[in-house]
Amino acid sequence: MAVDMNKKISKGFWVKLVSAPILMFAFAYAMVPIYDVFCEITGFNGTTSRIQSEQQYVVDEDRKVGVGFFAMTMGGFPVQFGPKVESMEIVPGEFYTTSYIAKNNTDEVVIGQAIPSVAPTDAALHFKKLECFCFNKQVFEPHEEVEMSLRFVVDPALDRRIKDISLSYNFFKLEG
Amino acid sequence: MTTATATIPHGVHHHGPEKGLMRWIKTTNHKDIGSLYMWFAFAMLLIGGALAMGIRAELLQPGMQLMEPQFFNQLTTMHGLIMVFGAIMPAFVGLGNWLIPMMIGAPDMALPRMNNWSFWILPFAGGILLSTFFMEGGAPAFGWTFYAPLSTTFAPDSTDFFIFAVHLLGFSSIMGAINIIATVLNMRAPEMKLMDMPLFVWTWLITSFLLIGAMPVLAGVVTMMLTDRNFGTAFFDATGGGDPVMFQHIFWFFGHPEVYIMILPAFGITSHIIPTFARKPLFGYSSMVYATASIAFLSYIVWAHHMFLTGMPVAGGLYFMYATMLIAVPTGVKVFNWVATMWRGSMTFEAPMLWTLSFVFLFTIGGFSGLMLGIAPADIQYHDTYFVVAHFHYVLVTGALWAIIAATLYWLPKWTGKMYNESLAKIHFWWAVISVNILFFPQHFLGLAGMPRRIPDYSLQFADFNLISSIGGFAFGASFFLLTYIVVDCIRNGKPVSARPWKGAKGLEWTLDAKAPYHSFNTPPSRALIEAESQHSA
Ligand code: HEM
Ligand SMILES: [Cu+2]
């Protein structure tokens, strides 16, 4: 039973062995903010962008793009909700205003948050909103009907192959 | 965990095992723990298999026959979880425990106490997972990929137990991986350089790095689920600013490396068995090492090929498509090396070789269907159909499981000192290989025709192929009784063998006694012995 072949594991090696999994656990959490930033920059996942002021674009009046408006609500959301006009024909580079109508049919105050999504995803980055009810949470008084406005522009940088864009909102209920 | 665990406790060192049940509970011996892992994995394989029989019984005919849809969903979910985390992964850890110290000329694993822990966590995790079947609301029913919000907002209460079980399983695998890294890097015979190591050791070393990188991410994602469910966070809840699609990104960042965790050790096993029965050194040893390492690296950057349908910009789809295709290159290198090893070899076809040859062939079919799935525009048609089911069963059943069975038969003589019954093993092989193809091949056609996966009923045009698939499934399931008999019969009544029962076999493990002694190498093997036993130099 000659030599004891068990070399001791050095402290530095232990530190590496144990810290690697801990770091990867932290990395899983780091993916959350990374993902948000990534979506904002790339329009991944249909994330629309927000602009602060009306900027001037070079407009090609002959170019037309169809925009369809859609609405969804998550299970249990008691407010009726839908677009005022279902589709528009727009010229990229020009600003448009439209609205969604919501009616709270209950006796209670309902608070909701709308989450937008644009398809195809390659259009998301170029769909820019100046004003949107999705920027803030919305409070619906009992039996109140409200018109919520939306002002947007489609950047002419949009790929010319894209002829139709759809914008959908999904309303979620917020607690209290 | 202190450095004290790094040495084998005295007293145990020079003696045989303790007697009775306590031997198994307290054991720190790599062979005992290897056996425990293997038996645990086998038990889980049978349980997971029984669940699959339930699935195939329901799908035997169109219409709802036997169970509520909700229960069907529980079956598919638990089948997947048990097979992945309970059967395949522990079986490979068991093989690693048994074989790595013997292959690198070490007496035991580097961290024997931790080894004991990482095994004994498993039965608890498995027990918790299985117990969810008996809870109110039933077992998890959201698929083994547990996508949010199905697994958060709409999940049964038992989900919290599922989360705890996944945490435990993750701990166990991470500790196992740390142990293997420490063993390979610290306990190798002083005369053995890294590029002398047999491929099973190499593939396990690389797999350990994948485990350390991927399992903590899995732990992270289930922790987010846990806090979303119980503590008011909103990682995956759009109401609170979260995003369910992000769940899929984090899950697949773990999930794709995970599928390679389940196949790299199988590549290693194959690289041992083919040279033995072709009686030629392994072709392209170093390219095998580099191919394994590149597969491991690439496996971290292709995850969104599981998500082509979540709405991705074209550039994203293109990137993930090309990156996915890239993995086929090192994988192809391996397949070519195996074939080149056989080229002009004096081949014989004992059972381990039969399993390995069919592994090469059938795994490659799985690789090809993977390539088809990796084509982003084509995946729009294939995604979430039985084509995906066929793909991953070819790579996991006729891939990973095939290699595990081949390895068991190949090294069983070394573990027991006895030989299994070769003619029964051949019958079993042909039974399994025919039935598994009857089971899974028609699922390609079902998927191409559009049959969705994870649905308990189907329209009439899918009836014939489902009937065939179910019949194959029952036959395949039954083959495991024969496998059980072959293994038990070998342990009980097998004929004693010599130290090297396979004539063409090389490797340090074959220099040990016929039945490997309780402690493998008490004196490190010499340089001459290492070179003589190298499987890759002529
Ligand atoms: C050439 C190599 C491979 C390629 C190109 C590939 C590609 C793919 C793709 C694109 C998918 C997603 C299909 C879809 O959901 O629409 C997929 C699914 C899957 N692959 Fe592979 N694959 C390969 C090898 C493997 C291996 C070696 C394994 C495991 C040992 C594996 C296990 C799986 C599993 C489990 C799934 C399904 C996950 C699920 O949705 O439940 N694949 N594969
Ligand atoms: Cu994958």
Side-chain angles (χ1 to χ4, degrees):
Chain A
M1 308 295 150
V3 285
D4 185 4
M5 282 176 51
N6 284 292
K7 280 188 255 169
K8 257 212 167 143
I9 294 179
S10 70
K11 214 167 166 190
F13 193 31
W14 259 122
V15 171
K16 279 187 212 150
L17 283 174
V18 175
S19 56
I22 295 174
L23 279 176
M24 286 310 293
F25 185 79
F27 175 73
Y29 277 83
M31 278 169 86
V32 177
I34 293 173
Y35 178 73
D36 282 345
V37 174
F38 187 74
C39 288
E40 228 158 84
I41 297 175
T42 61
F44 220 75
N45 204 20
T47 310
T48 53
S49 47
R50 180 176 179 173
I51 47 174
Q52 304 298 342
S53 61
E54 275 190 38
Q55 83 200 77
Q56 288 295 313
Y57 290 103
V58 185
V59 179
D60 172 2
E61 292 289 347
D62 295 332
R63 184 175 171 200
K64 295 279 188 319
V65 173
V67 178
F69 299 94
F70 298 88
M72 271 194 288
T73 50
M74 279 309 268
F77 190 70
V79 176
Q80 263 182 13
F81 162 66
K84 194 168 177 191
V85 286
E86 281 175 3
S87 66
M88 291 165 86
E89 190 149 84
I90 61 121
V91 175
E94 285 187 355
F95 280 81
Y96 295 88
T97 305
T98 180
S99 58
Y100 274 69
I101 297 186
K103 175 143 206 284
N104 180 359
N105 291 322
T106 67
D107 299 328
E108 273 139 54
V109 177
V110 176
I111 304 173
Q113 171 70 52
I115 307 285
S117 176
V118 165
T121 36
D122 290 86
L125 206 55
H126 303 299
F127 196 98
K128 298 184 170 162
K129 285 177 292 186
L130 185 65
E131 233 181 273
C132 177
F133 53 92
C134 60
F135 293 163
N136 300 310
K137 63 182 179 186
Q138 300 289 323
V139 180
F140 304 102
E141 299 298 331
H143 301 284
E144 183 195 34
E145 182 173 298
V146 286
E147 194 171 330
M148 304 174 298
S149 70
L150 166 70
R151 189 162 172 74
F152 67 92
V153 62
V154 173
D155 192 322
L158 178 77
D159 191 322
R160 286 198 168 260
R161 283 174 297 184
I162 300 177
K163 301 270 188 270
D164 286 288
I165 300 176
S166 44
L167 169 67
S168 75
Y169 286 97
N170 196 342
F171 244 111
F172 294 88
K173 187 173 176 179
L174 294 182
E175 298 307 327
Chain B
M1 276 173 272
T2 65
T3 41
T5 50
T7 49
I8 294 175
H10 268 276
V12 187
H13 200 143
H14 306 300
H15 308 289
E18 250 184 80
K19 294 276 171 281
L21 186 65
M22 284 318 274
R23 163 182 175 186
W24 298 104
I25 293 178
K26 291 184 358 200
T27 186
T28 55
N29 177 276
H30 75 101
K31 298 191 174 76
D32 285 353
I33 293 175
S35 302
L36 286 171
Y37 266 109
M38 295 296 285
W39 284 114
F40 174 80
F42 193 59
M44 285 291 155
L45 184 77
L46 296 183
I47 295 172
L51 303 180
M53 294 299 102
I55 296 172
R56 280 322 315 173
E58 175 59 55
L59 294 175
L60 187 72
Q61 288 172 32
M64 297 305 299
Q65 314 290 342
L66 302 170
M67 56 191 78
E68 295 293 312
Q70 183 66 10
F71 186 67
F72 181 88
N73 292 345
Q74 294 175 27
L75 287 185
T76 53
T77 305
M78 294 291 278
H79 165 73
L81 290 169
I82 287 172
M83 288 307 198
V84 167
F85 296 109
I88 302 288
M89 291 174 69
F92 279 130
V93 182
L95 289 170
N97 260 294
W98 250 107
L99 297 172
I100 290 173
M102 299 203 289
M103 287 179 169
I104 58 172
D108 206 305
M109 296 291 278
L111 308 163
R113 287 242 166 80
M114 193 161 100
N115 210 3
N116 172 292
W117 272 87
S118 40
F119 172 74
W120 279 107
I121 287 177
L122 275 184
F124 292 97
I128 291 170
L129 199 56
L130 283 173
S131 70
T132 57
F133 266 124
F134 306 101
M135 292 178 185
E136 222 178 288
F142 32 65
W144 84 277
T145 51
F146 51 98
Y147 283 4
L150 261 186
S151 60
T152 49
T153 317
F154 304 105
D157 293 341
S158 64
T159 305
D160 294 326
F161 288 90
F162 151 82
I163 291 172
F164 185 51
V166 172
H167 275 137
L168 291 180
L169 292 163
F171 258 109
S172 163
S173 313
I174 292 169
M175 291 199 292
I178 288 180
N179 207 346
I180 286 176
I181 294 177
T183 306
V184 174
L185 297 186
N186 237 35
M187 304 272 288
R188 219 167 54 242
E191 295 292 333
M192 181 181 268
K193 300 195 204 68
L194 281 176
M195 288 310 264
D196 294 329
M197 293 194 318
L199 270 167
F200 182 71
V201 179
W202 257 119
T203 50
W204 240 121
L205 179 65
I206 293 170
T207 302
S208 304
F209 283 103
L210 283 182
L211 279 167
I212 284 189
M215 293 308 280
V217 176
L218 174 70
V221 78
V222 293
T223 310
M224 292 177 204
M225 268 171 67
L226 185 78
T227 56
D228 266 18
R229 286 170 54 81
N230 301 307
F231 303 108
T233 59
F235 288 105
F236 309 127
D237 182 358
T239 331
D243 185 342
V245 176
M246 187 180 67
F247 173 91
Q248 297 186 29
H249 282 290
I250 306 177
F251 178 83
W252 286 115
F253 185 86
F254 145 80
H256 191 82
E258 166 70 12
V259 308
Y260 281 97
I261 287 166
M262 294 190 283
I263 203 67
L264 291 185
F267 291 166
I269 290 164
T270 306
S271 307
H272 283 247
I273 295 180
I274 288 184
T276 295
F277 295 99
R279 291 168 180 76
K280 271 179 63 193
L282 182 71
F283 184 87
Y285 168 83
S286 45
S287 70
M288 286 294 209
V289 174
Y290 295 126
T292 311
S294 20
I295 291 175
F297 170 75
L298 290 173
S299 75
Y300 279 112
I301 55 168
V302 298
W303 75 90
H305 64 211
H306 296 272
M307 303 173 55
F308 284 135
L309 270 82
T310 50
M312 214 188 271
V314 174
L318 280 174
Y319 162 73
F320 282 109
M321 176 166 93
Y322 291 137
T324 301
M325 301 287 151
L326 210 56
I327 297 200
V329 176
T331 314
V333 167
K334 285 180 165 286
V335 173
F336 282 119
N337 282 342
W338 291 324
V339 174
T341 306
M342 289 186 269
W343 181 253
R344 300 206 166 151
S346 330
M347 291 214 280
T348 54
F349 300 93
E350 286 87 344
M353 183 62 160
L354 289 176
W355 286 96
T356 303
L357 288 177
S358 64
F359 164 92
V360 175
F361 186 70
L362 297 172
F363 174 80
T364 306
I365 293 183
F368 282 141
S369 58
L371 280 175
M372 290 173 66
L373 291 165
I375 302 168
D379 188 56
I380 297 171
Q381 168 74 12
Y382 309 145
H383 182 65
D384 262 347
T385 69
Y386 261 80
F387 194 79
V388 179
V389 177
H391 159 65
F392 67 72
H393 283 91
Y394 268 85
V395 284
L396 283 171
V397 178
T398 60
L401 181 62
W402 251 223
I404 291 166
I405 296 176
T408 305
L409 295 175
Y410 181 67
W411 279 291
L412 203 54
K414 183 52 60 193
W415 300 341
T416 61
K418 297 171 191 169
M419 185 50 91
Y420 61 85
N421 182 330
E422 181 67 37
S423 24
L424 275 186
K426 284 213 171 85
I427 294 174
H428 171 240
F429 166 74
W430 287 108
W431 179 354
V433 81
I434 292 170
S435 58
V436 85
N437 280 292
I438 300 176
L439 165 59
F440 291 122
F441 210 80
Q443 296 185 1
H444 290 113
F445 305 133
L446 286 170
L448 292 176
M451 178 173 163
R453 65 191 280 210
R454 293 173 170 158
I455 307 283
D457 192 5
Y458 48 83
S459 46
L460 290 176
Q461 75 266 30
F462 302 130
D464 294 347
F465 280 135
N466 269 298
L467 180 66
I468 297 171
S469 179
S470 284
I471 291 171
F474 301 141
F476 183 57
S479 75
F480 285 89
F481 292 109
L482 186 52
L483 177 61
T484 317
Y485 177 80
I486 291 169
V487 173
V488 173
D489 176 59
C490 171
I491 295 170
R492 291 239 178 106
N493 318 314
K495 283 208 201 77
V497 289
S498 66
R500 200 186 301 264
W502 313 114
K503 283 219 185 67
K506 283 193 169 182
L508 290 173
E509 72 272 28
W510 305 110
T511 65
L512 295 168
D513 298 348
K515 177 179 184 342
Y518 201 53
H519 292 292
S520 299
F521 285 87
N522 284 318
T523 34
S526 67
R527 180 73 209 163
L529 189 64
I530 291 170
E531 274 170 16
E533 290 300 333
S534 158
Q535 41 150 211
H536 49 273
S537 55

